Amino acid sequence: MSDHARSRELYRRACEVMPAGVNSPVRAFRSVGGDPIFYERGSGCHVVDADGNRFVDYVCSWGPLILGHAHPEVVEAVRTTAADGLSFGAPCRQEVELAELVTSAVPHLEMIRCVSSGTEAVMSAIRLARGATGRDVVLKFDGCYHGHADHLLVSAGSGLATFGTPSSAGVPESFAGHTAVLPLDDDDAFRELMTARGHEIAAVIIEGVPANAGLLVQRPEFMRTIRDQCTRHGALLILDEVITGFRLGTNGAAGFYDVTPDLATYGKVIGGGMPVGAYGGSREVMEQLAPLGPVYQAGTLSGNPVAMAAGTAALRALFADGGAAYTELERLGARLETGLSGVMRRAGVPWSVVRVGSILWLVLQDGEPPRRFDKIQPQTADIYARLHGALLDRGISLAPSAYEVVFVSLAHDDAVIDETVAAFEDVVREIA
Ligand code: PMP
């Protein structure tokens, strides 16, 4: 058992001055128990906490660190750019370079606009879709997370095809009334709602591969139904690629499903670990933005040179050698999946692993892996909490919530993955 005295002391101080001691709720370890760990530094696939304990990190800052911690090329880009000034609030070369790189890699992006988080990217894309269509309603899917903008903190009401109810205090009912919520994986419900109300819908938004409530991999036919119905009813399809963008390949989930969205949103990987989000689409739609068009959106730190340089360095490393990085991520992800599945089989537990590329999810229930949120059994959270704590004691850090996924980076080599599988074997034998 590691010593966590310094983390505990930092947490005590943090709780005095920050709600639950954190700047983002899931970090507080509420759903797995115990106190959060405070990190000092990271290198490759490892992080070291305030007490000097070292962990293999499968959180990777919730996805951005696809190259691992403190990747030398990203750090160098940050260092040299920062030395020439942290922010101008005026156009700079670095934002043109990132935009050129992104638009040349993703076929459906003619133009992008950069912001500072995934939430901001989605919130702005929704406003743009509303402005471009002259419609108010947004359709989202139960179990998809798109950041904390008011109109998207909405849960499914009772029954199918209902308008949503706020899922957070502080979100007016009247805002939630502009958001329709449907279950994933239900083509009929989707067609029915579009037939009835498609003419009111500005945008349908879906996560590239829903990865915020487990990993709910959708059937390609469902994605095609969404695309076809959006086109038929004049609604814009927004693919939220904040997690999947530049992680599943240069064309993210759009490439994975072979679906072309009207707008796509980015965060995480596109910033190489710095606060960057972006949204983009066709020239025609993007030119609706101010100052060319009537849709207003702005940002003091948008296109910040240091953040742009970090993102550009990360994407260049990923795109080098014809995208060899993605072949390697696939191989590493498969190795971890095979290892963890083998442990489950040998232990005789009725669990499974779902994976797309370098994103994995432990399905701690029996039967087919779920494709929609209401098929996740809530009691799996208890098993996950025990796994999480026991793995942490063995130096393996998973996200502190059963609904979160495992992120593999290019810095996770075979030895580290095998070490993880061995630790998992011990832990499963102990708790199963
Ligand atoms: N969309 C998706 C799919 C996300 O996973 C997230 C964050 N996990 C967001 C949007 C919001 O991004 P941010 O936390 O950077 O605001």
Side-chain angles (χ1 to χ4, degrees), residues 184-187 217-224 257 371:
L184 288 161
D185 190 42
D186 189 338
D187 306 64
V217 183
Q218 298 301 293
R219 289 172 294 108
E221 308 84 75
F222 183 60
M223 300 301 283
R224 271 199 294 279
Y257 285 118
R371 276 201 289 261

Side-chain angles (χ1 to χ4, degrees), residues 117-120 122 145-147 207 212 240 242-243 268:
S117 69
T119 294
E120 240 188 301
V122 173
Y145 177 70
H146 301 289
E207 277 185 66
N212 278 287
D240 181 355
V242 166
I243 286 182
K268 303 196 191 261

Side-chain angles (χ1 to χ4, degrees), residues 48-401:
V48 175
D49 72 9
D51 295 279
N53 304 303
R54 195 168 94 126
F55 303 90
V56 179
D57 181 23
Y58 287 101
V59 185
C60 293
S61 190
W62 305 90
L65 303 181
I66 196 166
L67 303 171
H69 291 267
H71 187 272
E73 288 159 32
V74 178
V75 171
E76 185 54 23
V78 167
R79 209 194 308 273
T80 54
T81 311
D84 284 336
L86 293 179
S87 181
F88 304 113
C92 65
R93 168 178 52 84
Q94 289 82 359
E95 54 190 353
V96 184
E97 287 174 356
L98 183 69
E100 285 174 347
L101 196 56
V102 167
T103 54
S104 59
V106 182
H108 47 273
L109 300 182
E110 287 181 320
M111 294 185 143
I112 62 166
R113 179 166 279 182
C114 285
V115 290
S116 301
S117 69
T119 294
E120 240 188 301
V122 173
M123 190 176 79
S124 310
I126 298 263
R127 183 179 306 138
L128 177 56
R130 285 175 163 151
T133 57
R135 301 172 180 182
D136 287 342
V137 177
V138 170
L139 169 54
K140 80 177 282 287
F141 294 94
D142 196 23
C144 284
Y145 177 70
H146 301 289
H148 63 83
D150 283 340
H151 288 108
L152 296 166
L153 284 184
V154 172
S155 312
S158 54
L160 285 185
T162 55
F163 279 71
T165 53
S167 62
S168 162
V171 176
E173 287 279 352
S174 57
F175 283 26
H178 290 298
T179 306
V181 185
L182 283 180
L184 288 161
D185 190 42
D186 189 338
D187 306 64
D188 290 342
F190 184 74
R191 267 196 218 97
E192 211 175 290
L193 182 65
M194 291 301 277
T195 303
R197 313 204 55 169
H199 60 285
E200 294 171 56
I201 294 179
V204 174
I205 183 165
I206 185 164
E207 277 185 66
V209 178
N212 278 287
L215 188 61
L216 306 174
V217 183
Q218 298 301 293
R219 289 172 294 108
E221 308 84 75
F222 183 60
M223 300 301 283
R224 271 199 294 279
T225 301
I226 293 176
R227 176 63 278 178
D228 293 348
Q229 290 287 314
C230 283
T231 305
R232 177 174 307 185
H233 295 282
L236 300 188
L237 171 57
I238 304 177
L239 198 61
D240 181 355
E241 298 245 36
V242 166
I243 286 182
T244 49
F246 308 111
R247 176 168 281 277
L248 293 188
T250 47
N251 195 15
F256 179 76
Y257 285 118
D258 192 22
V259 62
T260 304
D262 300 296
L263 287 169
T265 54
Y266 297 86
K268 303 196 191 261
V269 172
I270 199 175
M274 294 290 279
V276 179
Y279 62 107
S282 68
R283 180 177 302 278
E284 186 191 349
V285 175
M286 292 303 286
E287 288 190 344
Q288 296 291 314
L289 285 174
L292 289 178
V295 180
Y296 190 73
Q297 183 271 312
T300 299
L301 293 174
S302 292
N304 171 271
V306 183
M308 297 288 103
T312 300
L315 294 184
R316 281 189 182 139
L318 285 170
F319 298 172
D321 302 326
Y326 294 110
T327 311
E328 178 63 0
L329 284 163
E330 169 66 27
R331 192 187 71 76
L332 293 168
R335 188 178 183 96
L336 184 58
E337 177 190 8
T338 305
L340 298 176
S341 304
V343 170
M344 292 170 177
R345 203 174 44 248
R346 287 192 292 282
V349 289
W351 307 337
S352 54
V353 182
V354 191
R355 178 180 73 88
V356 281
S358 54
I359 313 173
L360 293 86
W361 180 48
L362 304 176
V363 186
L364 304 174
Q365 62 189 47
D366 57 14
E368 279 289 294
R371 276 201 289 261
R372 44 190 273 183
F373 182 57
D374 56 2
K375 303 283 183 202
I376 302 176
Q377 297 167 11
Q379 66 273 23
T380 58
D382 296 336
I383 308 170
Y384 186 85
R386 293 168 67 199
L387 280 177
H388 177 268
L391 284 169
L392 214 49
D393 286 344
R394 288 167 176 77
I396 311 285
S397 168
L398 300 187
S401 160

